[in-house]
Amino acid sequence: MEYLLSVDVGTSSVRAALVSTRGKVSPIAVRPIALWCPKPQLYEQSSEDIWNSVCLAIRDVTKDVNPAQIKGVGVDATCSLVALDTNHQPLTISPTGDDSRNVLLWMDHRAVSEADQINATKHSVLDTVGGKISPEMETPKLLWLKKNLPDTCWRRAGLFFDLPDFLTWKLTGDETQSLCSLVCKWTYDAYDRRWNEDYFEKIGLGDLKQNGWRAIGNTVKNPGQPIGHGVSTEVARALGLNPGTPVSVSMIDAHAGALALLATSAPGIPEDIDSKLGLICGTSTCHMALSAKKVQVPGVWGPYYEVILPNTHLLESGQSATGKLLDHIINNHPATQSIMKKLNTEELAPVIQYLNHVIDTQHSTELTADFHVWPDFHGNRSPLADADMKGMICGLTLDSSETSLVTLYLATIQALAYGTRHIMDAMHAAGKTPAISTLLVSGGLAKNPLYVQTHADVTGCNVLCPQETECMLLGCAMLAAGAGGVYPSVEESMRAMSSQATVVRPVIETARFHDKKYKVFFKLMETQLECRKLMQ
């Protein structure tokens, strides 16, 4: 039996898995990682803590196999910023000055004003991020570090990595970075394969060009290509792997999920990859669409060239809070504790199952007819690209009963689906063809049947739920299979290791109801923008 070793680093945990060369993911090991929030909107982690959890998870999952059976290693991670000093040791990114806190988490929004400063330049580089850079991307964060931590961080810096590239560096000792990370989060030019010197000078980061841009990466490869000489001797000894085991160039976690997700098929569903939209659902949701032609969509990141597959463009959009939003809605409602007591649980999953059951037994269209939610409690990533957007709830009364929670929960699910439709409409209006006709979902929310059915009803699309639910780990394995020569290319890995799916079809009878609520959805947006203007 031959295996691929997959490592997926999310917001709160590390997962490692052995994946067969036919795409079966099992077993899986999970290890937690720490998170600090010293101030609102600031989210910090430790690269050493993350690496230690990676090592533990790898040892957990490989303990019963011969290391010769492992033919390649694939890694993905959140698009978080890792800072190291000139001795390659952790370097603080925190106002606390603690060098162990050297990772700016993807969802950190401390660099909002720096993003505004960059956007004010209207530089042509911004065309690749929907015309407006997000504070979740790396150049605003780098600018924040330079302005706010000049002595404790900036002047001591040696290397800045995206977290996926930090992990492949730890595995191999090779500083090669992924085209996926650098193009999608760092404004690297995928067509000319270079950094735009004029852009960095204009935004105040021209000093990064020293030593041939070594601090942020001067050796760049496509995902799925092998890095250096594979797993280093030191790391192999520590993890029980064979030295030289091939390691693939990494991907951002959502992109690895998209790689596996967009390969998914089902009988009777068109296989044209350009007509599919992948939703990688977790704390947030990433919406990923591939296109053979270059299409620029205002408020949508990209088009990113070759960051997933050769000769294709990626349109990347998303919602900054989805699973986290639903947790927030439920946790902060007064009826939740009584439901937990009734169910004899302290976990949210049984509560969600209970709410779904209640909704199944009622006429949900009537339940939310006068109740509406705008879901941007953590800003709007796409297609407004407005980090200042706030959440809105319209239709509140003095009711704090269980029915009140059911209504709020359902309206929030619907609002998330309207957000997906908003993204799709923006893509179609900008010329994305063929039109998206199939959604593919993975991650935690994909296990929620109400979320899935509502997306089908709101968008009018068939929704595919892969039988292999671990799309990030499967995507990493596809990369590893390409790098390790198990298959001649990543495209061949996709074909050989792809998952079949079940199909959830839209209920046409609810379409008119959702069309009406979708119009209200935009009224909420217009009201918020108008209120903001009046208060300026």
Side-chain angles (χ1 to χ4, degrees):
M1 189 73 176
E2 294 183 341
Y3 297 102
L4 294 316
L5 174 59
S6 290
V7 179
D8 166 45
V9 179
T11 299
S12 58
S13 67
V14 170
R15 301 184 307 149
L18 292 179
V19 183
S20 77
T21 56
R22 302 305 297 179
K24 174 64 177 175
V25 181
S26 182
I28 299 173
V30 182
R31 291 282 179 162
I33 51 181
L35 172 64
W36 295 272
C37 184
K39 296 179 182 179
Q41 306 291 348
L42 274 63
Y43 296 92
E44 302 169 354
Q45 293 185 317
S46 160
S47 67
E48 289 305 297
D49 173 65
I50 292 169
W51 175 245
N52 288 336
S53 290
V54 167
C55 293
L56 290 170
I58 288 176
R59 286 199 290 265
D60 288 344
V61 84
T62 60
K63 62 185 178 182
D64 295 326
V65 299
N66 186 322
Q69 293 175 273
I70 298 174
K71 300 303 178 182
V73 183
V75 176
D76 73 46
T78 63
C79 48
S80 301
L81 176 65
V82 182
L84 303 177
D85 65 18
T86 52
N87 295 316
H88 295 176
Q89 297 302 307
L91 174 66
T92 187
I93 49 76
S94 174
T96 66
D98 182 353
D99 276 333
S100 68
R101 299 193 198 180
N102 69 319
V103 179
L104 267 168
L105 189 63
W106 66 269
M107 64 189 291
D108 188 288
H109 276 198
R110 71 184 68 188
V112 170
S113 64
E114 286 72 24
D116 290 341
Q117 176 186 330
I118 292 171
N119 288 324
T121 67
K122 300 189 182 301
H123 198 281
S124 59
V125 160
L126 301 177
D127 291 343
T128 65
V129 291
K132 198 173 182 182
I133 204 161
S134 165
E136 295 177 7
M137 292 183 175
E138 309 301 15
T139 49
K141 290 176 178 175
L142 289 168
L143 187 57
W144 187 94
L145 293 173
K146 182 176 181 179
K147 290 166 62 176
N148 292 276
L149 303 178
D151 298 320
T152 56
C153 177
W154 194 255
R155 294 190 183 98
R156 298 171 55 209
L159 292 173
F160 292 106
F161 280 115
D162 217 57
L163 182 56
D165 296 325
F166 166 81
L167 296 173
T168 56
W169 171 69
K170 291 289 283 187
L171 283 165
T172 66
D174 191 297
E175 294 177 17
T176 296
Q177 298 198 52
S178 172
L179 187 73
C180 178
S181 295
L182 295 192
V183 169
C184 295
K185 305 301 174 186
W186 296 69
T187 69
Y188 187 79
D189 187 330
Y191 297 98
D192 294 334
R193 299 294 176 116
R194 66 179 181 89
W195 296 105
N196 189 305
E197 184 174 328
D198 181 67
Y199 169 75
F200 280 85
E201 290 285 357
K202 283 189 174 177
I203 68 172
L205 293 175
D207 40 346
L208 289 174
K209 67 183 179 182
Q210 295 175 5
N211 300 317
W213 303 91
R214 182 170 181 266
I216 58 173
N218 55 18
T219 303
V220 184
K221 286 187 175 182
N222 285 45
Q225 293 183 308
I227 289 183
H229 301 290
V231 176
S232 69
T233 301
E234 179 184 358
V235 170
R237 187 181 303 116
L239 298 183
L241 301 176
N242 279 347
T245 302
V247 176
S248 169
V249 173
S250 66
M251 268 190 178
I252 301 166
D253 54 352
H255 298 61
L259 179 70
L261 197 57
L262 293 170
T264 303
S265 61
I269 301 298
E271 294 192 8
D272 180 7
I273 204 166
D274 281 18
S275 66
K276 296 178 177 179
L277 179 68
L279 277 64
I280 296 88
C281 314
T283 304
S284 64
T285 294
C286 288
H287 297 63
M288 317 285 263
L290 295 179
S291 174
K293 69 175 186 177
K294 184 177 180 180
V295 181
Q296 289 186 324
V297 184
V300 171
W301 299 341
Y304 297 138
Y305 187 55
E306 294 196 335
V307 298
I308 291 185
L309 291 174
N311 303 313
T312 62
H313 299 84
L314 170 67
L315 293 171
E316 178 186 353
S317 51
Q319 295 161 301
S320 292
T322 52
K324 187 175 181 67
L325 173 60
L326 289 171
D327 290 352
H328 174 79
I329 288 291
I330 296 169
N331 277 324
N332 286 279
H333 195 281
T336 298
Q337 286 303 314
S338 63
I339 295 175
M340 285 182 167
K341 186 176 180 180
K342 183 193 311 185
L343 300 176
N344 192 26
T345 183
E346 295 182 357
E347 304 294 327
L348 280 186
V351 177
I352 290 172
Q353 291 173 2
Y354 176 80
L355 296 175
N356 285 352
H357 174 72
V358 172
I359 290 166
D360 281 344
T361 61
Q362 299 186 19
H363 298 292
S364 59
T365 53
E366 297 175 6
L367 198 60
T368 61
D370 297 317
F371 199 99
H372 315 284
V373 172
W374 180 266
D376 291 333
F377 284 46
H378 195 57
N380 183 282
R381 185 186 299 170
S382 310
L384 302 180
D386 188 342
D388 292 328
M389 290 296 289
K390 304 294 190 293
M392 298 175 67
I393 301 173
C394 176
L396 289 171
T397 69
L398 294 176
D399 184 11
S400 60
S401 69
E402 183 179 300
T403 300
S404 166
L405 174 56
V406 170
T407 303
L408 176 58
Y409 167 73
L410 176 59
T412 305
I413 291 272
Q414 291 170 344
L416 294 175
Y418 301 144
T420 294
R421 180 170 167 179
H422 191 191
I423 289 167
M424 292 170 56
D425 287 351
M427 289 183 179
H428 296 154
K432 166 80 172 73
T433 55
I436 294 165
S437 59
T438 305
L439 306 184
L440 304 102
V441 294
S442 70
L445 286 175
K447 301 171 186 176
N448 185 328
L450 179 64
Y451 177 88
V452 174
Q453 186 64 61
T454 303
H455 267 74
D457 296 345
V458 167
T459 64
C461 294
N462 294 313
V463 181
L464 271 58
C465 302
Q467 294 171 6
E468 177 51 72
T469 59
E470 298 292 349
C471 286
M472 272 80 152
L473 291 169
L474 179 56
C476 284
M478 290 173 175
L479 296 175
V486 176
Y487 298 105
S489 66
V490 175
E491 297 96 313
E492 289 296 325
S493 298
M494 290 175 70
R495 280 188 278 272
M497 301 170 70
S498 63
S499 172
Q500 288 291 302
T502 56
V503 182
V504 176
R505 302 185 187 278
V507 178
I508 304 303
E509 290 78 7
T510 65
R512 290 185 62 190
F513 171 79
H514 287 302
D515 285 343
K516 289 179 181 178
K517 285 208 67 173
Y518 190 46
K519 293 176 182 177
V520 177
F521 183 76
F522 281 97
K523 286 294 182 182
L524 293 177
M525 176 188 72
E526 292 166 3
T527 300
Q528 182 171 166
L529 294 176
E530 183 63 26
C531 289
R532 189 194 301 176
K533 187 184 297 183
L534 290 170
M535 293 302 294
Q536 288 175 347

